[in-house]
């Protein structure tokens, strides 16, 4: 494909990726209003947040396997269609049960987009040229991640729009992506006999869901040390052990365990898990810090994240161009990991009185690091696997990054709640105010507009201190990602696309079979039998 054809095809993929990212981020600042309008509880609030992420994380490996078996363009359009249906259901929801169900549909569609977009990129673009296009996708990821809360805040603050448009706004992008993909993306349909491992798929989804439900609800709906924890963790581990047993014996496993024999895949998977833990686990609470500790509106809170998005956008684009030009990529992975670790370490020093200039610098450092690291981990793995395993390898990295983000968000959220409660109790005691004197109780997020000035200062200080400590907890995970990246062996980037490599591998396999089946020429001695 020419550069022009690739850019045309990428336009549909980028629109699809933007939609999937927007689905998870646009409701961040709108959820308090949504839950209040629907008359739902705090536990429902948690489920609206986690339902989409659970469905996306659990189904990414399934989409990746389907990409290795069926037409990837059709699968992309199906996932976008699921997203449209889920978004419309969510926008028209009049009770929280329908909203949660619609978020599951959105999550399944987003899982397909997360896995398939990068698989299709690898199919049509050689790894040597993939860097600059991966940089564009990194920029789209940055815009969707950080602009989502800003868009959501503006929609909620605009009286003639309201929170329902947080769901409707993604529908035009999804429909546009379907049309663009149909017109610009040309992928051959590889027809081959395939057996889908339904039992393995069920065990993987059930096991992962049990563990994700545990980390999402533990510390909020029940204690970390409780019978619910024992049941969910024990059941989840048993299901995953059974999944490994099944996957090691079926001809078409959902996750081919053999790919973990590849050192590059294993190390980039470990790094992706820690990137998810560090990045998502730390940054998801920045919006709350801006609004509660710094007293900003939802719209202003979204704008305050711009230094991070700009750092991510610039670094992912520049690093991608340089990788495509030079063919060298490991230095950017290492530098990105170091900068992400440094940014998280700097953010651990913030508090309620941190100047926005310093805060912007810290966020920009972290954004630059993430931009150099995240997309290029996928590039390194895709470059080192067979074309028949591109879907599996890509989905495994996406799966573990989402898994890390879910675990990090849940665990760090529990730490935040505990630290806020401790700091507020300490502040109230020092001020001589009885506990519960107008401040948030029972783990609820306080309404800052209703608090008297002395208590508001205590709450602002508590959230500022607790948020800084969250980044301190997240920093060692980023350092572990750096260590994993250091051991990745740099290999030259291939100059053929995934489709070309698949054709070569299929042709080589066919020639080998023909050679094995061909009769020996007359007079040629047979090869001696191997000894047992």
């Amino acid at each position: 494909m020419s550069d022009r054809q690739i850019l045309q095809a990428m336009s549909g993929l980028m629109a699809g990726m933007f939609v999937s990212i927007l689905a998870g981020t646009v409701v961040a600042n709108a959820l308090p209003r949504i839950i209040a309008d629907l008359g739902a509880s705090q536990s429902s609030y948690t489920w609206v947040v986690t339902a989409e992420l659970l469905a996306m994380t659990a189904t990414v490996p399934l989409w990746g396997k389907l990409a290795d078996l069926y037409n990837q363009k059709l699968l992309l359009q199906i996932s976008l269609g699921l997203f449209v249906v889920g978004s419309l259901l969510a926008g028209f929801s009049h009770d929280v049960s329908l909203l949660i169900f619609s978020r599951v549909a959105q999550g399944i569609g987003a899982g397909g987009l997360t896995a398939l977009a990068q698989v299709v990129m690898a199919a049509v673009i050689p790894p040597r040229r993939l860097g600059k296009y991966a940089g564009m996708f990194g920029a789209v990821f940055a815009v969707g991640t950080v602009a989502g809360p800003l868009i959501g805040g503006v929609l909620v603050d605009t009286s003639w729009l309201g929170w329902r448009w947080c769901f409707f706004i993604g529908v035009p992008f999804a429909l546009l992506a379907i049309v663009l993909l149909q017109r610009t993306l040309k992928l051959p349909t590889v027809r081959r006999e395939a057996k889908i491992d339904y039992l393995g798929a069920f065990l993987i989804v059930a096991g992962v869901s049990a563990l994700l439900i545990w980390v999402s609800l533990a510390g909020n709906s029940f204690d970390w040390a409780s019978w619910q924890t024992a049941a969910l963790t024990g059941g989840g581990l048993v299901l995953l052990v059974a999944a490994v047993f099944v996957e090691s014996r079926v001809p078409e496993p959902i996750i081919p365990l053999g790919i973990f024999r590849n050192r590059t895949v294993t190390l980039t998977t470990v790094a992706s898990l820690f990137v998810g833990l560090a990045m998502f686990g730390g940054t998801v609470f920045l919006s709350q810090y801006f609004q509660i500790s710094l007293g900003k509106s939802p719209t202003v809170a979204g704008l305050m994240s711009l230094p991070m998005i700009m750092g991510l956008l610039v670094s992912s684009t520049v690093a991608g161009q340089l990788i495509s030009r030079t063919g060298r990529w490991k230095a950017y992975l290492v530098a990105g990991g170091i900068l992400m670790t440094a940014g998280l370490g700097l953010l651990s020093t913030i508090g309620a009185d941190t100047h926005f200039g310093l805060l912007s610098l810290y966020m920009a450092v972290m954004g630059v690091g993430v931009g150099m690291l995240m997309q290029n981990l996928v590039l390194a793995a895709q470059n080192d696997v067979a074309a028949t395993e591109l879907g599996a390898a890509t989905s495994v990295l996406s799966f573990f990054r989402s898994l890390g983000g879910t675990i990090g968000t849940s665990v760090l959220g529990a730490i935040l709640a505990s630290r806020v409660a401790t700091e507020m109790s300490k502040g109230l005691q020092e001020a001589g105010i009885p506990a519960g004197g107008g401040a948030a109780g029972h783990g609820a997020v306080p309404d800052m507009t209703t608090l008297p000035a002395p208590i508001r200062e205590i709450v602002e200080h508590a959230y500022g201190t607790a948020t800084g400590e969250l980044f301190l907890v997240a920093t060692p995970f980023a350092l572990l990602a750096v260590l994993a990246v250091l051991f990745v062996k740099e290999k030259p980037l291939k100059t053929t696309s995934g489709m070309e490599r698949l054709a070569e591998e299929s042709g080589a396999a066919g020639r080998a079979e023909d050679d094995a089946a061909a009769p020996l020429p007359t007079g040629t001695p047979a090869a001696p039998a191997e000894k047992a």
Side-chain angles (χ1 to χ4, degrees), residues 246-478:
V246 171
E247 293 293 274
S248 64
R249 283 161 174 77
V250 295
E252 292 278 4
I254 298 296
I255 300 178
L257 300 180
I259 66 172
F260 291 110
R261 297 192 190 101
N262 184 308
R263 173 178 166 179
T264 302
V265 171
T266 301
L267 289 172
T268 52
T269 298
V270 171
S272 293
L273 175 69
F274 289 129
V275 167
L277 275 164
M279 186 190 72
F280 290 107
T283 58
V284 74
F285 299 103
L286 272 176
S287 179
Q288 192 177 53
Y289 165 74
F290 294 147
Q291 293 183 56
I292 295 178
S293 190
L294 303 185
K296 306 300 181 182
S297 69
T299 303
V300 174
L303 289 170
M304 291 180 74
S305 300
L306 285 177
M308 185 164 60
I309 183 176
M310 292 304 298
L312 204 160
L313 191 154
V314 171
S315 69
S316 64
T317 304
V318 173
Q321 293 285 348
L322 292 173
I323 288 171
S324 291
R325 186 177 303 169
T326 64
R328 307 302 297 268
W329 49 267
K330 183 174 178 178
Y332 300 99
L333 288 181
V334 175
I338 292 171
L339 285 172
M340 184 179 74
T341 305
L344 287 167
L346 291 170
L347 284 167
S348 70
T349 64
I350 65 175
D353 56 351
T354 302
H355 190 274
F356 181 63
L358 272 180
L359 188 60
S360 299
L361 175 63
Y362 299 164
M363 288 191 294
V365 171
M366 193 186 74
V368 169
V370 172
M372 296 172 69
L373 181 63
M374 193 166 58
Q375 287 296 119
N376 293 321
L377 285 171
V378 179
L379 171 64
Q382 290 176 336
N383 182 60
D384 202 29
V385 297
T388 53
E389 294 180 341
L390 276 174
T394 304
S395 63
V396 162
L397 261 68
S398 299
F399 168 73
F400 276 95
R401 187 174 64 228
S402 296
L403 182 65
T406 307
I407 294 171
T409 300
S410 302
V411 173
L412 293 179
I415 294 173
L416 177 71
S418 174
R419 195 74 182 94
V420 164
T422 301
E423 286 293 320
M424 285 177 58
S425 297
K426 178 182 175 183
L428 291 171
Q429 186 177 4
E430 290 176 353
I433 301 172
H442 307 292
V445 178
D447 182 354
M448 301 299 287
T449 60
T450 64
L451 297 180
I455 293 179
R456 189 186 308 122
E457 291 178 5
I458 293 171
V459 174
E460 289 172 351
H461 174 77
Y463 272 87
T465 301
T467 304
E469 291 193 8
L470 277 194
F471 287 108
L472 185 61
V473 173
T475 301
F477 294 113

Side-chain angles (χ1 to χ4, degrees), residues 263-264 267 330 334 480-490:
R263 173 178 166 179
T264 302
L267 289 172
K330 183 174 178 178
V334 175
L480 290 173
V482 176
L483 292 176
V485 165
L486 283 172
F487 288 100
V488 177
K489 184 178 179 180
E490 184 167 22

